Structures are given as structure tokens and as C-alpha cells.
Amino acid sequence: MSKIAIAGTGYVGLSNGLLLAQNNKVVALDIIPEKVEMLKNKISPIEDKEIEEFLKRDDLNFKATLDKKEAYKDAEYVIIATPTDYDPNTNYFNTKSIEYVIADVLNINPDATMVIKSTVPVGYTKSIREKFNTDNIIFSPEFLREGKALYDNLYPSRIIVGEKSKRAEIFANLLAEGAIKRDIEILFTDLTEAEAIKLFANTYLAMRVAYFNELDSYAQTHNLDSRQIIEGVGLDPRIGTHYNNPSFGYGGYCLPKDTKQLRANYKDVPCNLISAIVEANVTRKDFIAQSIIDRLGSDISKHADKIVGIYRLTMKSGSDNFRSSAIQGIMKRLKAKGIEVVIYEPTYSEKKFFNSRVIKDLKEFKNISDIIVANRLSDNIKDIEHKIYTRDIFCNDH
């Protein structure tokens, strides 16, 4: 049994930690006391069905702590899963949290192998090895969906580790050992190639979202049935019928920042498509906002008397994450036109969200809203179908 430390208890850290705690001693470190207290009480700080179920199990060797030494001392591997938000001022991920962890680990347990799971710019891990004068840092990309993070670790599409070495093989096998799926594709690559795989994979997914959104914008503009077109297009097996449901734009933890980071990595390389994927998401939000405004009527002077209700800030069902959700971009555009926006979001406890009222009672929300905007439909609002604006054609998250 190995001791494994986890730095960061978001989707990535917590799902990896609980997976590995089935067969190893896992100590998860976080800097937020409330999250650590919740984990000690077997309560998940994030909405994820499998994570919630695993925390209730008594057979896992899992502990949460605020103490760096308790986490890092004697750990064979330290998985770094701290947030790396995209910084629009530098056009790069903010990787300071990773570097704080590396400095602490080198001070407490310099022999530990650090595995970066946070998303980073292409070439980052190689440069950080040089900065800290250590080879004990490798990169392993994650491919997890929000709300399905542990499920995707139990049934992974693949395991990729950015090093061809014995320690890389051991780490990959630790992940595979905890999975339910058997015969998992395991790929060992060079360091920088592993970083590129993560960004290119997510940018491809963003491209697919943007493609079907632009198809839907065309169909809506010309009064065509998007569903018929998408179904016909998808019957070509090279395209397929998956991941094709129109939305208000791609959002969430990964796709917005990963596409922008990849575009920044292209600064010395000719490209059109990568930039277009980023710009297409902005265009889609413009189109959706204008479509909602058009629904309010042609008399602009009366728009100030209307109320647009936003049904859920979250990106998809089974998730409590609304960071960078596309619907926030729609809200900003509507409010810029002087239109009042109210929100129904049961996972949000504050009375206001960016100066917009949060309505706690669903019935009141339905009554006061002239239009209800929903990125994804729900049975909760089907009784006021005449008020709803959505582009959720297939009634699923994909």
C-alpha cells in the first residue's frame, strides 16, 4: 500500500483521491477549512453522485487535512490538482498554486514524485522542472466531466502519463487498479506531448459544440428544424449522433480556458481554426441574447418593464458548478440592454448574483418572469412551456 497525497479537493483532486483510497493510504490537502471539515464528516463539497457515495464508505483509507506536513510526509506520489484559471492579462493559466505546492513538497518530502493533474500551458512542466531544479515532476492529463468526475475515473476512456519510466507505469497502474473498467487504454508519452493532448482534446470538444451551435443559429434564423438537420448529419458514422445537442455556448471548468490557452500557445504558429473556436463561442452568446430580446417584442421602450428569468446557472444536470457557464454571458448582454434579470438557482445561497435577484421560490420565479431562459430543460418548468426560451433540442447534456 502506497501513501498518496492530493493537493486540492475539487473535482479532479477528490475523484482521484477517492479512487486511489480503495487500495492506498490517501491524504487530501486543502486550504479551505470548511471543505476539509465537510470531508471529515463524509460530506461532499461538490455535487457528484459517485463522490457522495464513496465518502460514505468505511473501507476507504482517505483523510482530509489542512496540514501540509501530514499530507506530504512519506508520500510516494503527490497529485497536484489545484485550480489554474486562465488569466486574460497574461494570456496564460495562473499556475502559482502549482508552484506553491511544488515548493512545499520539495521542502517536506523532496523524494516524492509530483504528478500534475491541473491543466497547464504546453511546455510548462519542462520549464518548472528547470525552475525548481528537479526531475521529480511529471504530468498526467485528466478527462473528467463535471458531476461525473469519479465515474469517469472508475470507467476511464484512457490513462495518459507524460513520462516513459517505471514510476510512470506504477502511477498508471495505481489508477487502473482502482477503476471498475478493465482493459483500459494506457498511453505513456513524452512530457510536453501529454500537456498538448489535454488542450487539443478539449479544444476539439469545444469545436464540436461550436459547430452544432452554429448549425442551430443558421436553422433558427431561417426557420428550419435544427433537430432534423442534426439527426441527418449525425447518421454519417464519421460524425455520429453524440455530443451534438445545441446550447448557449460551451462553458464550465475546462473548455473556455483550455481553448484560450491553446490559442495563446499558437502565438508563433499560423492558425485559423483554433482562434475561430474561441470567437464562435462569443458569437453564439450574442446570437442567443438577441434572440431573447426579439422574443420580448419590437417595442424597445417596453423592454425595461420586462423580466427575464434565468432557470439555473449550472451548465448541466447533476452539477453544482456554474463557473464560466455560458448563461452568465447571456445575462450580461441582457442587462447591458437595461433588461431586468432574475435567477432561480437552488444551489446558490446568496440573495443576489452579480446584482441580479435570486428568487428562492420556484412558483414565484415562474410568475414574475416574462420569459424563462433555460440552457437545459427540466420537468420543473414544463408547465410554463409557453414562457421558455431554450435550444435544448435533445433534452440531454450532450
Side-chain angles (χ1 to χ4, degrees):
M1 180 181 287
S2 301
K3 179 186 175 183
I4 300 168
I6 309 284
T9 59
Y11 278 107
V12 177
L14 203 47
S15 61
N16 276 278
L18 292 172
L19 176 91
L20 292 164
Q22 295 174 103
N23 302 297
N24 303 278
K25 179 182 178 181
V26 174
V27 182
L29 174 73
D30 208 291
I31 60 172
I32 302 171
E34 293 81 6
K35 287 181 75 174
V36 171
E37 195 60 33
M38 288 177 76
L39 290 169
K40 285 181 177 179
N41 291 315
K42 298 180 176 290
I43 300 169
S44 175
I46 54 181
E47 190 173 326
D48 186 296
K49 178 173 169 282
E50 284 73 24
I51 286 176
E52 290 163 9
E53 291 172 353
F54 265 55
L55 282 171
K56 292 183 175 71
R57 285 171 51 172
D58 294 323
D59 60 336
L60 298 185
N61 197 338
F62 178 86
K63 182 179 182 181
T65 184
L66 294 164
D67 187 338
K68 297 173 189 175
K69 288 185 180 176
E70 182 183 13
Y72 301 147
K73 191 172 184 295
D74 300 323
E76 187 175 340
Y77 291 94
V78 176
I79 295 176
I80 303 175
T82 56
T84 52
D85 294 326
Y86 182 79
D87 185 341
N89 295 319
T90 62
N91 286 332
Y92 270 82
F93 289 135
N94 185 341
T95 55
K96 288 179 182 175
S97 64
I98 295 176
E99 284 151 54
Y100 292 145
V101 173
I102 293 170
D104 287 336
V105 173
L106 289 175
N107 184 46
I108 296 166
N109 182 9
D111 293 330
T113 297
M114 289 167 270
V115 182
I116 298 175
K117 279 279 182 182
S118 306
T119 309
V120 296
V122 178
Y124 173 78
T125 309
K126 193 174 284 185
S127 68
I128 214 68
R129 278 182 168 190
E130 294 171 1
K131 179 178 178 178
F132 285 94
N133 193 28
T134 178
D135 288 332
N136 278 352
I137 308 170
I138 60 178
F139 178 78
S140 175
E142 55 80 16
F143 306 98
L144 310 177
R145 295 169 294 171
E146 295 158 22
K148 289 277 191 180
L150 182 49
Y151 180 91
D152 287 343
N153 264 326
L154 293 168
Y155 300 92
S157 57
R158 71 280 209 198
I159 294 170
I160 296 174
V161 184
E163 189 174 79
K164 299 173 182 178
S165 64
K166 186 66 178 174
R167 66 185 180 182
E169 289 177 20
I170 292 170
F171 180 72
N173 288 333
L174 289 173
L175 295 177
E177 182 186 32
I180 295 172
K181 181 182 176 182
R182 301 290 92 183
D183 301 320
I184 302 162
E185 291 278 358
I186 299 177
L187 179 65
F188 300 99
T189 69
D190 293 332
L191 200 53
T192 305
E193 282 76 359
E195 295 166 339
I197 288 167
K198 174 61 189 287
L199 294 186
F200 277 103
N202 274 352
T203 301
Y204 179 85
L205 294 176
M207 178 185 71
R208 191 170 171 104
V209 173
Y211 176 84
F212 284 106
N213 280 344
E214 289 208 350
L215 183 159
D216 181 60
S217 294
Y218 181 89
Q220 187 179 332
T221 301
H222 293 281
N223 295 315
L224 303 176
D225 187 332
S226 290
R227 184 182 188 122
Q228 292 182 39
I229 300 170
I230 292 169
E231 285 178 341
V233 168
L235 289 175
D236 185 325
R238 294 170 298 177
I239 299 171
T241 56
H242 61 284
Y243 214 65
N244 61 358
N245 194 19
S247 66
F248 296 160
Y250 58 79
Y253 282 125
C254 296
L255 300 194
K257 66 187 181 81
D258 290 6
T259 50
K260 289 174 184 173
Q261 178 59 68
L262 186 59
R263 181 177 64 174
N265 278 120
Y266 261 87
K267 67 180 186 295
D268 299 323
V269 181
C271 83
N272 298 107
L273 182 58
I274 305 300
S275 295
I277 293 165
V278 176
E279 291 156 12
N281 213 38
V282 176
T283 302
R284 176 64 169 178
K285 292 175 194 174
D286 291 340
F287 178 84
I288 293 294
Q290 188 57 53
S291 298
I292 295 163
I293 292 167
D294 292 343
R295 278 273 298 266
L296 291 173
S298 57
D299 190 346
I300 297 173
S301 65
K302 292 183 179 179
H303 288 182
D305 300 326
K306 303 286 187 179
I307 295 177
V308 173
I310 303 296
Y311 179 76
R312 306 301 306 268
L313 295 167
T314 51
M315 286 294 300
K316 56 182 75 172
S317 58
S319 169
D320 58 355
N321 168 49
F322 43 82
R323 183 170 72 173
S324 297
S325 61
I327 207 158
Q328 292 185 51
I330 310 303
M331 288 170 55
K332 289 176 186 174
R333 287 160 172 80
L334 295 174
K335 289 162 74 172
K337 297 289 186 181
I339 298 166
E340 183 179 357
V341 170
V342 298
I343 300 159
Y344 177 75
E345 178 48 70
T347 68
Y348 189 70
S349 58
E350 303 297 322
K351 291 182 179 179
K352 289 197 171 184
F353 181 82
F354 287 103
N355 294 319
S356 291
R357 283 188 293 153
V358 178
I359 311 298
K360 304 295 183 184
D361 183 72
L362 181 57
K363 187 176 180 181
E364 180 190 355
F365 171 78
K366 290 176 182 178
N367 286 336
I368 68 172
S369 301
D370 293 291
I371 292 178
I372 290 177
V373 178
N375 187 49
R376 291 292 178 248
L377 285 171
S378 163
D379 290 340
N380 289 343
I381 54 173
K382 284 189 176 175
D383 59 317
I384 39 91
E385 198 170 325
H386 62 285
K387 285 188 175 185
I388 295 173
Y389 177 86
T390 186
R391 300 309 299 163
D392 183 8
I393 292 170
F394 296 103
C395 296
N396 63 47
D397 290 327
H398 308 295

